[in-house]
Amino acid sequence: MDVKKVIIPIAGLATRFLPLSKSLPKELWPLIDKPVLMYILEEAVASGLKEIIFVSTPQKKQFWDHFRKKNKFLKKILRQRGKEEILKELEMFEAFLSKIKFSEVFQDFPLGDGHAILQAQKKIKNEGVAIAFGDDVYLAKEPALLQLIKVFKKYQRPVVGLFRVPWENVPFYGAIEGKKIENRTYLIKRIIEKPKIEQAPSNLVSSGRHVISPEVFIYLKKAKPNKKGEIVLAEVLQQMIEDGKEIIGYEIKGKWLECGNKLNYLKSQIYLSLKDPRFKEDLREFIKKILK
């Protein structure tokens, strides 16, 4: 099975970021000077993916305005004012988007990430499909999704992107127990959602990237909501493991930047800003002054 599509769930309510997320979709919030979601789209294109399937809500009109609508009036003003450098950036952005096929399905009510992914089934044929969650940005020489796609093509099994985190952070994630089968690659024996530290089988956790096979959709479709009323992808994969299905885990190479809560979003903003050659020297001097 080949992989040419990626599902990006963006239907969440972003309650951790209220009240700002009430009026502005979190996916459009900037990391330096481009939206968080743009980093994920660039990763997808660099991974050879051709179609982006957004699982969205009808209320996120600003999102589609940003990625679909061409502003001829703005370009006219930029030309009149001689803002050629800014105009060039805008045209490069539009050229990048023209390389991608966008499609959209709706999740009317937030019923878990597994339920969101299931809404995209009608867009998927008998093929593998990547999944990228919008809270996670990867900085890597080889794009994170491409790393997982290569593993998927080799094993033809669902692949969970893994990352090793400090032990004190394990209770915030889904931790895995696995048997190492080759470098950075594991046969997952168990996935435990948000375990206590003493109950965690490892500090390898699921980290916002997957490649799944058509069989996963069959399990998602027959899954029953958990106690919270949600269908959760990790719980569905665990059920597959219990049924004797093989699930592969791959420890992604690169830097994982999280943007799912205010503190992690600010940390990611600072990290990228201090790495950006346009701003890093001035920012470092500024930080030194305010920390005195």
Side-chain angles (χ1 to χ4, degrees), residues 6 15 32 36 53 66 98 110 113 118 127 133 136 176 188-189 191 193 200 210 223 254 256 269 279 291:
V6 57
T15 54
I32 309 182
V36 172
I53 305 168
H66 182 78
S98 68
D113 60 2
L118 182 59
E127 58 190 324
F133 290 102
D136 305 289
I176 71 109
I188 298 178
K189 295 183 176 181
I191 305 172
E193 274 293 282
H210 299 73
W256 179 22
Q269 192 77 259
F279 310 121
L291 290 178

Side-chain angles (χ1 to χ4, degrees), residues 15-239:
T15 54
R16 293 173 180 173
F17 290 93
L18 287 170
L20 182 56
S21 57
K22 181 175 179 289
S23 57
L24 182 64
K26 181 184 64 176
E27 297 81 16
L28 295 183
W29 291 20
L31 278 178
I32 309 182
D33 55 359
K34 60 186 177 184
V36 172
L37 189 58
M38 191 65 184
Y39 291 86
I40 300 170
L41 296 184
E42 290 172 347
E43 177 190 334
V45 170
S47 299
L49 297 167
K50 303 299 183 184
E51 181 175 348
I52 313 293
I53 305 168
F54 290 115
V55 184
S56 183
T57 63
Q59 291 77 28
K60 293 197 173 183
K61 184 177 180 297
Q62 307 101 310
F63 169 82
W64 286 111
D65 284 348
H66 182 78
F67 285 102
R68 278 182 173 167
K69 194 173 182 180
K70 293 185 178 182
N71 195 322
K72 294 181 180 180
F73 175 76
L74 176 59
K75 291 165 81 170
K76 180 180 178 181
I77 294 298
L78 290 173
R79 287 193 184 93
Q80 289 177 348
R81 296 182 178 179
K83 304 288 186 179
E84 295 300 327
E85 197 63 34
I86 299 173
L87 179 61
K88 183 179 178 182
E89 288 184 21
L90 182 59
E91 289 176 339
M92 286 175 63
F93 170 68
E94 292 177 351
F96 171 81
L97 294 181
S98 68
K99 300 176 184 176
I100 312 169
K101 178 183 178 182
F102 290 102
S103 60
E104 181 181 35
V105 295
F106 293 120
Q107 184 187 32
D108 295 325
F109 195 80
L111 296 172
D113 60 2
H115 181 266
I117 293 162
L118 182 59
Q119 306 315 299
Q121 183 181 19
K122 57 191 173 185
K123 299 283 186 180
I124 309 299
K125 298 177 182 178
N126 188 31
E127 58 190 324
V129 61
I131 299 168
F133 290 102
D135 290 337
D136 305 289
V137 171
Y138 277 94
L139 307 178
K141 290 182 179 179
E142 181 178 49
L145 283 173
L146 181 56
Q147 294 178 45
L148 299 189
I149 289 168
K150 287 181 176 179
V151 176
F152 177 81
K153 287 183 176 180
K154 180 174 182 178
Y155 290 95
Q156 294 291 297
R157 298 290 186 272
V159 183
V160 180
L162 304 175
F163 208 85
R164 200 173 294 277
V165 300
W167 277 97
E168 62 269 21
N169 293 341
V170 171
F172 299 105
Y173 306 95
I176 71 109
E177 176 185 350
K179 177 184 177 182
K180 194 169 187 178
I181 52 179
E182 62 176 296
N183 185 37
R184 309 184 79 90
T185 308
Y186 299 81
L187 180 63
I188 298 178
K189 295 183 176 181
R190 194 164 46 129
I191 305 172
I192 304 177
E193 274 293 282
K194 300 182 178 179
K196 295 179 180 179
I197 293 176
E198 61 271 18
Q199 296 174 334
S202 75
N203 62 338
L204 273 174
V205 303
S206 180
S207 58
R209 296 289 186 274
H210 299 73
V211 180
I212 63 173
S213 62
E215 189 176 23
V216 177
F217 286 105
I218 298 173
Y219 272 81
L220 286 169
K221 197 167 186 177
K222 67 182 182 181
K224 295 181 180 179
N226 60 19
K227 292 179 181 180
K228 294 182 179 179
E230 297 180 338
I231 296 172
V232 177
L233 177 61
E235 294 173 358
V236 169
L237 294 176
Q238 175 60 32
Q239 183 59 58

